Amino acid sequence: MDSRSQAPYKSSSFSQATTRDDGGRTREVDRNFSLGAVRNKRDHHHHGGARELAIKEEDEQEEGEGTASHGRNGGDGAGSAGGKRGDPDLAALSAEIDAFIAGQDGDAPVTVTEATLEKFASAVELVVARSEGAEDKWAAEASGEPSALLAAITRIAALASVLGKSPEGGGKHTAAVHRVTGVLHRAMAFLEDEFHALLEDPRVPKAANEQGAHEPDRCVLPPPPSDASAGGGKEAAPPYPPETVDRLRAMADAMIAAGYTTECTQMFLVARRNAFTAALQGLGYEKSNIDDVVKMTWEALEAEIVTWTKAFRHAINVGLSTEHDLCTRVYASRHAAVGRGIFADLARCVMLHMLSFTEAVAMTKRADDKLFKVLDMYEAVRDASPVIEAFLSADEPGADRNNSALTELKAEIAAVRSRLSETAAAMFRELEGSIRADAGKQSVPGGAVHPLTRYVMNYLKLACEYNSTLEQVFREQRRHDGGGDGDDNPFSAQLMDVMELLHGNLETKSRLYKDPSLSNIFLMNNGRYMLQKIRGSAEINAMLGEAWARKQSTNLRQYHKNYQRETWSRVLSLLRDDGVLTVKGHIQKPVLKERFKQFNAAMDEIHRTQGAWIVSDEQLQSELRVSIAAVVVPAYRSFLGRFSQHFSAGRQTEKYVKLSAEDVETIIDELFDGNAASMVRRRT
């Protein structure tokens, strides 16, 4: 699509010349020409040679008429000095025109003849006609001066501007003035075509093919180390080679000097906007409307956010700096303000459209699992603010910052950051809602770690990798709610709330078990998992603090004691001589037999039930077994030593003394591995 179709209709900004009508009244010379009409007229000439011939014939006719007219008017003939039948002497004519232009600033303005104006206009028109199709038409002269074509266009633009203010343009040489103005418009139409062609030159590498390095998305696998930069600090290849930039600058100078600022800026803006869009498309980013985004599945939207984040960082860290540099080089010196305006409009146009994607994401249903992608977007937008501020600071002190498109963009970035901050805070708080909603009445088999515990702790571990960002988010929300800044970390407080909420939820779930011992195993498993996750992450450990870890360790010790009391205190009571086994120095054999029977049954029950219980943490499993064995095995060995000899060898011993001390130790070592089994009958 021809990008120029989006540029506004041409309306010359020259100072309007005046002339006299037949009634002696002053009227303005209409300088509003349609460039499209000029192009159409020019396009009727299919061959440059035919057009040059027509211009030559017209020039020869005008030269003769001008001389005759000048003679009739009693002129000095200076306008035709050096003239010949053939090409006009552009160098001599240019010298006269330059003198005329320069002389307008003096006390005695220099005049110019109508013939000179006519011949100069024809000469410029001939130069333009001959340049069509030429490869080196914009090449600078050997002396470093601009090309003859560009110099001629610049000179006739300056002449037209001066004629609008001088007596020659006010009615003295009306026909010649119109001739100059017409040639200027045709020259500008030609220059506009050339400017556009140079901007869209297919020989210039397109930005869309430059796959620069970018910061990896934080929630995906990182790319190879060579691609691990964010784009900031990596300079993209210039969109045009230096010689092309020089030609663009010369053309822009000529168009702006002739009053064609609107055409020049709009053409440049559209071309660079298209190039910028192509670069983003090369990164996989495609524009989406809000309705489409809101309707996406989370899996699809997640992929879109990854692409958006990469493209946005590229736009901020690479794209804008490249365009700023190009605008500065093409619109330099006295036209620097024009370049700043183009860049500001380009930045606002491209970035506002990208920022609209964040609004669509913020409108989707909030869920805690979406937090991290939203935080990636928040960080990208947050990091854009200083970049835009740097561009604003680069403006000249006299630039109007309040009305700048960059100021508007900066304000929109701040607003988007605020919306994303609110969304991220709400999504984190959704975690609390998820914990409260998990009130299932079904216990976890074997007292294992509950899925909620795993989810919450893994979630918090990842959240703490964004701890500085989440601290910013919650500080912003606290200020928004009127709570001020404060010295404490608001995210740390949120983290504490979640941990307390999870702890309370687990306490409630532990009561689903009918066996108090299993309740304590469940609390030990989940508490140990939480503690291991905290100590295994420097970020979350720093956020919760050592005091919280010590409190959790204390809770674990208490669960351990509760378990041993509930399970093993009754077993140990069977191994005590509490005055029932021995009466007046005599062993009460029936009581002794019952004690051994009860101990065997208790160990069989413990082995059968607690062998199916699960303690997945090997260290905790080992600690439990060691602590149990340290109490039970010595007590049983002592009990055997005192009372086993009171049974007669043979069948009686086999009937009551079924376990050795080593058997008891083996049973204990088989607890908590998730395998249900009955105790094997063993002989002492």
Side-chain angles (χ1 to χ4, degrees), residues 294 298 301 358-372 374 416-431 433-434 455 459 477 480:
V294 172
W298 172 239
L301 182 56
T358 66
E359 182 180 353
V361 172
M363 292 172 63
T364 61
K365 183 179 179 181
R366 292 177 178 178
D368 51 84
D369 57 342
K370 298 180 181 180
L371 172 66
F372 306 110
V374 172
V416 167
R417 174 177 175 175
S418 179
R419 285 195 294 272
L420 288 174
S421 173
E422 179 186 0
T423 301
M427 285 180 172
F428 185 85
R429 293 190 180 106
E430 285 291 324
L431 180 63
S434 298
Y455 176 77
Y459 187 95
Q477 292 307 299
H480 182 268

Side-chain angles (χ1 to χ4, degrees), residues 498-660:
V498 171
M499 295 300 294
E500 290 300 325
L501 193 60
L502 176 60
H503 178 77
N505 185 286
L506 293 173
E507 289 276 1
T508 301
K509 292 184 186 310
S510 72
R511 291 191 281 274
L512 296 174
Y513 297 98
K514 295 180 180 180
D515 188 336
S517 296
L518 185 53
S519 294
N520 285 289
I521 290 293
F522 172 78
L523 291 172
M524 265 191 287
N525 272 325
N526 286 271
R528 184 59 170 254
Y529 183 86
M530 293 162 65
L531 187 61
Q532 293 295 89
K533 281 291 182 180
I534 292 166
R535 287 182 169 164
S537 169
E539 293 83 5
I540 192 172
N541 192 43
M543 295 294 290
L544 290 174
E546 189 59 33
W548 192 94
R550 285 197 300 269
K551 179 182 177 182
Q552 186 70 4
S553 297
T554 301
N555 290 338
L556 285 174
R557 285 193 295 271
Q558 187 59 50
Y559 299 144
H560 191 162
K561 290 178 181 178
N562 293 344
Y563 161 75
Q564 284 198 322
R565 183 179 65 251
E566 294 291 341
T567 298
W568 298 102
S569 58
R570 188 175 68 86
V571 173
L572 291 172
S573 69
L574 296 174
L575 303 178
R576 294 191 187 97
D577 184 2
D578 48 5
V580 178
L581 286 173
T582 306
V583 177
K584 295 181 181 182
H586 298 283
I587 299 296
Q588 303 297 309
K589 205 165 185 180
V591 176
L592 181 62
K593 290 178 180 179
E594 186 63 26
R595 286 287 182 90
F596 269 103
K597 286 174 64 177
Q598 290 178 351
F599 180 81
N600 293 336
M603 291 303 297
D604 185 64
E605 176 67 16
I606 290 172
H607 187 246
R608 183 178 59 82
T609 57
Q610 298 194 20
W613 294 357
I614 299 170
V615 177
S616 52
D617 182 82
E618 293 183 358
Q619 184 178 350
L620 177 59
Q621 187 185 71
S622 176
E623 289 173 0
L624 279 169
R625 289 170 176 173
V626 168
S627 66
I628 295 167
V631 175
V632 175
V633 173
Y636 184 64
R637 183 176 284 116
S638 174
F639 189 80
L640 278 179
R642 289 183 59 189
F643 299 110
S644 62
Q645 69 271 21
H646 293 287
F647 295 108
S648 57
R651 293 178 61 186
Q652 192 176 47
T653 301
E654 290 179 1
K655 182 178 181 180
Y656 295 105
V657 184
K658 295 182 178 181
L659 299 172
S660 66

